[in-house]
Amino acid sequence: MSISITGLGIVSAIGMNLEENLNSLQNLKSGISSIDLINELQENFIAGEIKLTNQELSLIAFEKDKQEVFPRSLLLSLIAAKQAWGENKINPKIKTVIIGATTVGGMDLAEKILEKDVRIQALAHNPSGIITDYLADYFHLDEFKTTVSTACSSTANAIILGSRMIKNGLADRVLVGGGDALTKFTVNGFNSLRIYDPGFCKPFDNNRKGLNLGEGAAYIVLENEKSLSITKNKKVVSILGWGNANDAYHQTASSPNGEGAQKSMQLALEEAGLKPEDIDYINAHGTATVNNDLSEGRAIETLFGKNQLFSSTKGYTGHTLAASGIVECIYSILSIKHKTIFPTLKHNTLMPELKVKPVINIKKDITINTVLSNSFGFGGNNATIIIGK
Amino acid sequence: MAFIHKYSTISKGNTFNQGIIDGCINSKIATEITHPDYKDIITGINLRRMSVIVKMGLANTIKCSSRNKIDAIVVATGLASLHNSELFLCSLIDPEQSILSPTPFINSVHNTISGEIALHTQNKGYNITYSQGSLSFEGALLDSILLTKEGKNVIVGGVDEVIPPLDNLSMKIKSKEEFTTGSTFFNISPNKNGSLAEIVNCIITKEEKANYYITDNFNSNEDVLISGHSTCNHSKKINTLNYSKFSGILMTNPAFGLQLAVELLNTDISELDGCKLPSRIKRVFIINHASKNDIGIIILRK
């Protein structure tokens, strides 16, 4: 049994497709800047904002003028999903399901409507499933659909469900991914928790002050052998393992030693039948909050030892919440394909608590066969994916 | 193989203690949602800061997991805590609020329910939340069936709440049933011994395919169909029980329908709410029409 990734689609603050994202990563170009498109924020925040209005995004998504108003997360998701789906066709012999993921759903529309004080219409945009509903209709996927909402680990968990459905014979092909737009709700929400750095986020730096949010969406296509034999799609890499565990420590914070993180990585190794030394590189969750980076750093050190290569790519995109898991899975694939570790940006001072050190200078021409990618969220929701050649 | 071992519902009537048939359908006084005394069930923590949906989910979980090692917690919610979402949204546009409280923000996040259940039951296993409108519970149940295939002992449930603007909406659309608060949870495992029912199938599909499927599979001599909608197409041909009439409208009420189905398979009654029942029920079909274009079907047998 193998689970092949065959299609990739991504939009983020560092590019509107895979090539643009790769180019920014290779040139160490961050997409984090002042927020231009959301008015009336409480403070001047910086974030990984995509500098296109909803109208401009709509034109890219539909390739024509569309009168209908859509949530920004839906537009981002549709653009990414179209790139991933590509020339795939519906075939009654291939059972194809769609699994989405989002945190904010249509919250940006809710905020706009609420300004006019129409409460019920505002809340009508809250349901998370609206994006998957739209994409399922758009791509004519009528076998099964669902949406995962486990905060910052949402898309990682969506990939896990898709992989398990293929493994257990419930699906041959899965369009899986998700997206989150920047909203007042989330920017102010993370700021109210006092974990939003007013300056650039500094993952795994001793002087880190918190995260910068970002926006984006990404989708991938997963296929089993039967599907591949019909679609003739080319395998890019495979999903080798996955883990999901709960930290059960605090509503929003991780345990100091990263117990849930360790368990989630351990489960992924077991599922993949790999040992810690088989992991060439870890794309860390690395949000740059004081709490996450200590907890995750300790978990990595405990399980993989002090020489493990790892980095956080949050400094390029900002923290794209539900999308972050799949965005970083795609970056991990780019690391394998282009033999490159994209470094942690803005890093100056090592954390004294850790012996393990993040990669802070780009590493080229390095053989990477297997990557582990972490996504941890509110509610103690930890998820890990392992991908490889 | 996925077998249902325990269930628990908080809804109209005393469903938490008496179940749906006795506590709600056969009870003349079941008009309001009846919350159990949470402080007797959820001990050792301050309940004041806990949102209603978390309390419901946690109380149901505790009832479903007694003397039982749980490996996974799977929660479905259509709208999560609307109360907290509204509270935080409104605080954003309130010029008086210079410092925002993070509490409603945290409580509005969908996975707060599954996260708090894990936290308060100290469960470090698999943990996930699904939100797909009116089909949220079917997604959660499908994952739970997968988890039992992987050998896991699972808690799965649905929870949603009503806030005043939704009341106005139900008046506006002149719906027979009111929007409501409610929650139903189950303990599902791969172990057949002592189980109450077996889940045969859980699918989400388009209406046309669903109609073919039901026509091909349903046997009115021995099967019962329960539906979430009074204008269900199949009701002309088949004796249909309408579960929304008792649960009220909430996005995760197929979970309520599923518990009703489990109870039907385990009682000896010939008629319920004007619907004649086969003397020995073989299977119960739970049909969810609440989504615009899709149908959820869950099939259960003893």
Side-chain angles (χ1 to χ4, degrees):
Chain A
M1 195 275 317
S2 84
I3 301 155
S4 302
I5 299 178
T6 59
L8 306 170
I10 181 168
V11 292
S12 77
I14 60 167
M16 291 302 289
N17 56 45
L18 191 65
E19 288 68 33
E20 286 180 20
N21 273 272
L22 173 63
N23 189 44
S24 298
L25 289 167
Q26 285 176 327
N27 292 298
L28 313 184
K29 193 180 146 235
S30 170
I32 295 171
S33 67
S34 63
I35 298 177
D36 300 333
L37 296 170
I38 304 177
N39 302 320
E40 296 162 43
L41 281 168
Q42 285 200 316
E43 289 166 38
N44 293 322
F45 294 102
I46 60 169
E49 184 180 51
I50 294 170
K51 302 295 180 193
L52 294 168
T53 64
N54 285 15
Q55 248 177 334
E56 290 165 326
L57 289 174
S58 180
L59 200 60
I60 296 171
F62 296 103
E63 294 157 52
K64 62 178 179 204
D65 260 329
K66 195 104 172 158
Q67 293 303 309
E68 251 173 296
V69 173
F70 294 102
R72 188 170 171 89
S73 304
L74 189 153
L75 296 171
L76 297 174
S77 297
L78 180 57
I79 296 169
K82 279 173 81 172
Q83 293 169 9
W85 187 246
E87 302 297 311
N88 275 286
K89 288 179 184 63
I90 294 301
N91 182 329
K93 288 183 191 141
I94 308 173
K95 180 164 180 177
T96 309
V97 306
I98 175 165
I99 304 167
T102 187
T103 305
V104 302
M107 195 58 89
D108 59 325
L109 290 190
E111 288 164 1
K112 282 182 189 135
I113 292 166
L114 195 69
E115 285 163 11
K116 297 177 203 147
D117 198 31
V118 192
R119 286 162 74 202
I120 184 57
Q121 286 177 19
L123 288 163
H125 291 288
N126 192 35
S128 298
I130 52 176
I131 298 169
T132 306
D133 276 335
Y134 194 88
L135 295 188
D137 286 346
Y138 189 90
F139 296 106
H140 307 290
L141 303 174
D142 56 7
E143 295 275 1
F144 171 81
K145 61 179 172 188
T146 194
T147 298
V148 177
S149 193
T150 53
C152 313
S153 60
S154 300
T155 44
N157 278 320
I159 295 172
I160 293 174
L161 179 68
S163 302
R164 288 168 55 235
M165 284 183 78
I166 288 182
K167 187 184 173 185
N168 285 284
L170 292 182
D172 300 314
R173 180 171 57 176
V174 185
L175 176 62
V176 56
D180 264 334
L182 279 173
T183 61
K184 279 186 201 177
F185 196 90
T186 41
V187 173
N188 286 309
F190 280 95
N191 190 47
S192 74
L193 285 161
R194 298 169 187 277
I195 52 170
Y196 204 114
D197 191 334
F200 279 91
C201 67
K202 296 183 279 292
F204 297 106
D205 189 293
N206 194 38
N207 300 314
R208 67 196 181 283
K209 291 200 180 81
L211 51 77
N212 303 141
L213 285 187
E215 60 184 348
Y219 277 79
I220 56 178
V221 176
L222 307 178
E223 292 182 70
N224 65 7
E225 282 109 349
K226 177 188 154 195
S227 177
L228 280 179
S229 73
I230 300 169
T231 61
K232 311 286 182 210
N233 285 334
K234 209 166 153 262
K235 178 184 102 170
V236 184
V237 290
S238 300
I239 306 262
L240 303 177
W242 51 83
N244 166 315
N246 197 287
D247 209 23
Y249 175 74
H250 183 270
Q251 256 191 317
T252 57
S254 315
S255 59
N257 291 320
E259 200 187 324
Q262 280 184 52
K263 190 175 171 196
S264 150
M265 291 190 281
Q266 185 72 54
L267 286 168
L269 287 169
E270 282 166 23
E271 177 68 40
L274 294 173
K275 295 189 191 72
E277 55 267 34
D278 297 324
I279 300 298
D280 298 314
Y281 160 66
I282 294 175
N283 185 305
H285 188 54
T287 54
T289 62
V290 171
N291 175 246
N292 176 83
D293 292 6
L294 179 60
S295 165
E296 186 178 14
R298 279 177 170 159
I300 290 172
E301 192 171 300
T302 307
L303 214 56
F304 297 90
K306 64 179 170 50
N307 297 319
Q308 177 65 46
L309 295 174
F310 76 102
S311 70
S312 162
T313 47
K314 293 284 194 295
Y316 298 84
T317 55
H319 186 355
T320 55
L321 296 180
S324 67
I326 191 158
V327 161
E328 287 154 29
C329 257
I330 289 179
Y331 292 169
S332 302
I333 295 168
L334 292 175
S335 282
I336 293 173
K337 289 307 236 189
H338 297 274
K339 301 180 169 216
T340 307
I341 294 179
F342 309 111
T344 312
L345 299 180
K346 309 280 178 197
H347 190 284
N348 287 314
T349 317
L350 288 169
M351 293 165 59
E353 302 95 331
L354 299 178
K355 290 191 194 80
V356 67
K357 298 180 184 71
V359 173
I360 56 169
N361 295 307
I362 191 160
K363 270 192 195 296
K364 292 181 180 171
D365 298 318
I366 174 169
T367 302
I368 304 169
N369 292 317
T370 312
V371 181
L372 180 149
S373 173
N374 279 333
S375 300
F376 306 143
F378 270 18
N381 279 121
N382 294 341
T384 300
I385 308 273
I386 298 176
I387 54 175
K389 282 181 181 165
Chain B
M1 301 289 212
F3 297 93
I4 298 180
H5 285 259
K6 290 195 175 81
Y7 55 68
S8 180
T9 286
I10 295 168
S11 184
K12 291 175 189 173
N14 191 5
T15 51
F16 189 75
N17 292 312
Q18 296 175 355
I20 290 171
I21 293 178
D22 291 339
C24 177
I25 298 178
N26 289 337
S27 164
K28 297 273 180 288
I29 50 164
T31 52
E32 296 277 306
I33 171 153
T34 310
H35 289 281
D37 201 344
Y38 290 113
K39 68 176 180 335
D40 293 342
I41 305 158
I42 307 165
T43 50
I45 42 164
N46 188 348
L47 285 174
R48 266 187 315 165
R49 283 178 66 191
M50 193 177 269
S51 67
V52 176
I53 54 171
V54 172
K55 278 185 206 163
M56 290 193 295
L58 185 52
N60 278 334
T61 298
I62 290 168
K63 196 167 170 209
C64 286
S65 52
S66 58
R67 300 187 301 279
N68 215 334
K69 187 188 163 287
I70 300 299
D71 305 308
I73 291 163
V74 184
V75 172
T77 180
L79 293 160
S81 177
L82 277 176
H83 170 71
N84 282 288
S85 293
E86 195 195 24
L87 210 62
F88 195 71
L89 259 176
C90 291
S91 73
L92 292 181
I93 56 164
D94 182 356
E96 308 276 298
Q97 299 244 9
S98 55
I99 296 167
L100 297 174
S101 159
T103 308
F105 174 66
I106 297 164
N107 287 340
S108 74
V109 180
H110 287 68
N111 63 323
T112 284
I113 310 156
S114 65
E116 287 230 37
I117 291 172
L119 184 60
H120 294 295
T121 59
Q122 276 301 295
N123 189 302
K124 301 187 179 185
Y126 183 89
N127 189 288
I128 200 158
T129 303
Y130 290 99
S131 184
Q132 185 62 48
S134 307
L135 295 163
S136 301
F137 181 69
E138 282 83 348
L141 191 65
L142 182 111
D143 189 358
S144 305
I145 295 168
L146 270 180
L147 287 163
T148 60
K149 281 190 181 189
E150 293 160 6
K152 294 196 165 74
N153 189 24
V154 184
I155 290 288
V156 56
V159 55
D160 270 300
E161 70 175 350
V162 70
I163 56 171
L166 279 182
D167 280 342
N168 298 335
L169 185 72
S170 65
M171 273 191 280
K172 230 184 252 171
I173 62 173
K174 296 197 176 86
S175 162
K176 256 196 248 167
E177 289 94 25
E178 286 175 357
F179 283 88
T180 186
T181 297
S183 171
T184 301
F185 274 64
F186 302 91
N187 171 220
I188 297 178
S189 90
N191 185 5
K192 189 178 176 160
N193 279 351
S195 68
L196 299 168
E198 180 187 357
I199 302 165
V200 181
N201 213 341
C202 171
I203 39 185
I204 293 173
T205 190
K206 292 285 169 201
E207 177 139 17
E208 195 185 342
K209 277 193 193 172
N211 287 341
Y212 282 129
Y213 186 87
I214 295 164
T215 312
D216 283 354
N217 287 283
F218 189 83
N219 178 348
S220 56
N221 293 324
E222 50 186 22
D223 296 337
V224 174
L225 193 144
I226 64 176
S227 156
H229 208 285
S230 47
T231 57
C232 166
N233 281 345
H234 317 290
S235 58
K236 290 164 206 147
K237 293 175 275 180
I238 305 165
N239 258 351
T240 307
L241 267 168
N242 173 9
Y243 61 79
S244 292
K245 186 174 157 188
F246 305 106
S247 68
I249 299 178
L250 64 159
M251 282 183 161
T252 46
N253 67 1
F256 182 98
L258 182 60
Q259 179 174 323
L260 176 55
V262 179
E263 290 186 34
L264 284 175
L265 285 171
N266 290 282
T267 57
D268 252 340
I269 49 173
S270 58
E271 196 178 324
L272 189 65
D273 192 44
C275 174
K276 278 209 162 48
L277 303 170
S279 56
R280 251 196 82 159
I281 300 171
K282 193 177 168 204
R283 294 177 303 180
V284 184
F285 287 52
I286 301 121
I287 314 290
N288 168 17
H289 286 78
S291 166
K292 202 167 60 185
N293 301 311
D294 307 280
I295 309 281
I297 305 174
I298 304 167
I299 302 172
L300 205 64
R301 72 175 170 219
K302 181 82 169 123

